Amino acid sequence: MAETGLAMGHVELILRDADGMIKEYKQFDNVVTNVGDSCASELLFGDEGVSTCAGAAFNKIGIINGTYSLAEGSTMSTAAAAGTGGNNIMAIVDAVATVPGTAGTQGTETTIVNSGHLFNFVDNQNDTNVTGVILVDALCTESVVAGQEGGCATKPAAGEIFATQSTTLAVSGGDTLEVTWTITVGSA
């Protein structure tokens, strides 16, 4: 009998209106990027040959607006260059990763969620579309408003995308978005 290892990801989006009512709910599987595969292997087996992974902790969640092409080859620079105006990373916020102490029979599930740092859409972001989500290891280098977390004026100077997924989500002023990413490492 052969054993196979699996790493799967699943994304859940909950968009709420200004009154806290669920406006839209979506869930789907993600695509782990080539860099994500390399970084996972490096962390599992200790080969530090992938310089982009040195000290990487993929515990930040970003949202994208603009034209976005989902691909295993997605990188921070291709995501940032994909949108109109040359920058379509709308915002990146810190998230909390929870790794269980023991594995279950179906694998180990790590959950990464931005519940403490929701994406808040204000009046200047009315009628915007979110077209993708990314699981990354770096925050934006310049915020839209100094000292305000999240909104990206420029892409992160460094950093990588572990996993990604495209979507279509219409947001308006007063909305909040919670993203929960679940990565399952297990065997079949």
Coordinates of all heavy atoms in Angstrom, one line a residue, residues 6-10 29-30 32 106 182-186:
L6 N -0.8 15.0 1.3 CA -1.6 16.0 0.7 C -1.5 17.3 1.4 O -1.5 17.3 2.7 CB -3.1 15.5 0.6 CG -3.4 14.2 -0.1 CD1 -4.9 13.9 0.2 CD2 -3.2 14.4 -1.6
A7 N -1.5 18.4 0.7 CA -1.7 19.7 1.3 C -2.8 20.4 0.5 O -2.7 20.6 -0.7 CB -0.4 20.5 1.2
M8 N -3.9 20.7 1.2 CA -5.1 21.2 0.5 C -5.5 22.5 1.2 O -5.3 22.7 2.4 CB -6.3 20.3 0.5 CG -6.0 18.9 -0.1 SD -7.4 17.8 0.1 CE -7.4 17.5 1.9
G9 N -6.0 23.4 0.5 CA -6.5 24.7 1.0 C -7.9 25.0 0.7 O -8.4 24.6 -0.4
H10 N -8.6 25.7 1.6 CA -10.0 26.0 1.4 C -10.1 27.5 1.9 O -9.6 27.8 3.0 CB -10.8 25.1 2.2 CG -12.3 25.2 1.9 ND1 -12.9 24.7 0.7 CD2 -13.3 25.8 2.6 CE1 -14.1 25.0 0.7 NE2 -14.4 25.6 1.8
D29 N -12.1 26.0 -2.9 CA -10.7 25.5 -2.8 C -9.7 26.6 -3.3 O -10.1 27.4 -4.2 CB -10.5 24.2 -3.4 CG -11.3 23.1 -2.7 OD1 -11.5 23.2 -1.5 OD2 -11.6 22.1 -3.4
N30 N -8.5 26.5 -2.9 CA -7.5 27.5 -3.4 C -6.5 26.8 -4.3 O -6.5 25.6 -4.5 CB -6.8 28.2 -2.3 CG -5.9 27.3 -1.4 OD1 -5.5 27.7 -0.4 ND2 -5.5 26.2 -1.9
V32 N -2.4 26.5 -4.5 CA -1.1 26.7 -3.8 C -0.1 27.1 -5.0 O 0.0 26.4 -6.0 CB -0.6 25.5 -3.0 CG1 0.8 25.7 -2.5 CG2 -1.6 25.2 -1.9
Q106 N -8.0 12.7 9.6 CA -8.0 13.2 8.3 C -6.9 14.2 8.0 O -7.0 14.9 7.0 CB -9.4 13.8 8.0 CG -10.6 12.9 8.2 CD -10.5 11.7 7.2 OE1 -10.2 11.9 6.0 NE2 -10.6 10.5 7.7
T182 N -8.2 27.7 5.4 CA -7.9 26.5 6.1 C -6.9 25.7 5.3 O -7.3 25.4 4.1 CB -9.1 25.7 6.4 OG1 -10.0 26.5 7.2 CG2 -8.8 24.4 7.2
I183 N -5.8 25.4 5.8 CA -4.8 24.5 5.1 C -4.7 23.2 5.8 O -4.5 23.1 7.0 CB -3.4 25.2 5.1 CG1 -3.4 26.6 4.5 CG2 -2.4 24.3 4.4 CD1 -3.7 26.7 3.0
T184 N -5.0 22.1 5.1 CA -5.0 20.8 5.7 C -3.8 20.0 5.1 O -3.6 19.9 3.9 CB -6.3 20.0 5.3 OG1 -7.4 20.8 5.7 CG2 -6.3 18.6 6.0
V185 N -3.0 19.5 6.0 CA -1.9 18.6 5.7 C -2.2 17.3 6.2 O -2.5 17.1 7.4 CB -0.6 19.1 6.3 CG1 0.6 18.2 5.9 CG2 -0.3 20.5 5.8
G186 N -2.3 16.3 5.3 CA -2.7 15.0 5.8 C -2.3 13.9 4.8 O -1.5 14.2 3.9

